[in-house]
Each structure stands twice: as C-alpha cells, then as structure tokens.
Amino acid sequence: MRNDYPKNQFSFSKLYCATFGHRFRTSKKITEFISEYQCANCKEEITINANGTLEKLTPRYRETNAFLAKIHERRNRRHLSEAS
C-alpha cells in the first residue's frame, strides 16, 4: 500500500504564522543593508530585494545574495589591507 501524501500538508506552525504572523530572525547577514531571514515557527525564508522590500528567498535570490556577499567580503579585505 502506497501513501501518497498531498504536497500541501497541514502544519500547526503554518497555521500559527497565518493567524499571528511570522517571527522572522536574521539567519545570514550579507552586507550591512541586505540580510536573509527565517521564521522561527514555519522556517519560511525571506530576503530584501533591490527595491528594499521583503521577498521569498528563491534560488535566484539565494544565488544573488551569495554573489553580493563574495563581492562585499573581497571589498572589505581590500580596504583592511590598504589601512595597514
């Protein structure tokens, strides 16, 4: 006997977030202006887009944030070496 569960299973954490709202916490700081956030209840992830609004963290945004973090880290390393 096969158990074919629907993709949208019932979840108390999702119901809680739908009723009372998400409790987002910073999960990763990309730059001083851009961060990734994760809900403490349902584990939904969001980020800040180019317009400064919150968007769901899609693979495209994840890739963009990784690229921005790489550039930001390289720039910080260069500024630290010039200051020495």
Side-chain angles (χ1 to χ4, degrees):
M1 183 169 154
R2 254 177 68 183
N3 289 333
D4 291 329
Y5 293 107
K7 291 185 179 185
N8 296 331
Q9 290 181 325
F10 177 78
S11 169
F12 283 111
S13 61
K14 288 185 181 184
L15 177 65
Y16 179 88
C17 289
T19 306
F20 300 109
H22 294 284
R23 294 187 321 165
F24 287 113
R25 298 206 169 114
T26 304
S27 61
K28 187 175 182 183
K29 187 133 175 97
I30 307 300
T31 67
E32 51 274 347
F33 303 109
I34 300 173
S35 296
E36 293 178 359
Y37 305 96
Q38 184 177 40
C39 179
N41 292 324
C42 67
K43 309 299 183 211
E44 182 178 336
E45 295 179 315
I46 62 170
T47 189
I48 298 175
N49 67 8
N51 297 328
T53 58
L54 297 174
E55 292 280 335
K56 282 191 175 186
L57 189 60
T58 61
R60 183 175 180 177
Y61 279 122
R62 195 180 300 274
E63 183 180 334
T64 302
N65 285 350
F67 183 73
L68 287 172
K70 192 173 166 182
I71 290 172
H72 186 68
E73 181 183 330
R74 196 177 310 153
R75 184 176 290 165
N76 281 344
R77 257 192 272 141
R78 188 176 63 210
H79 285 296
L80 287 175
S81 66
E82 288 174 0
S84 299

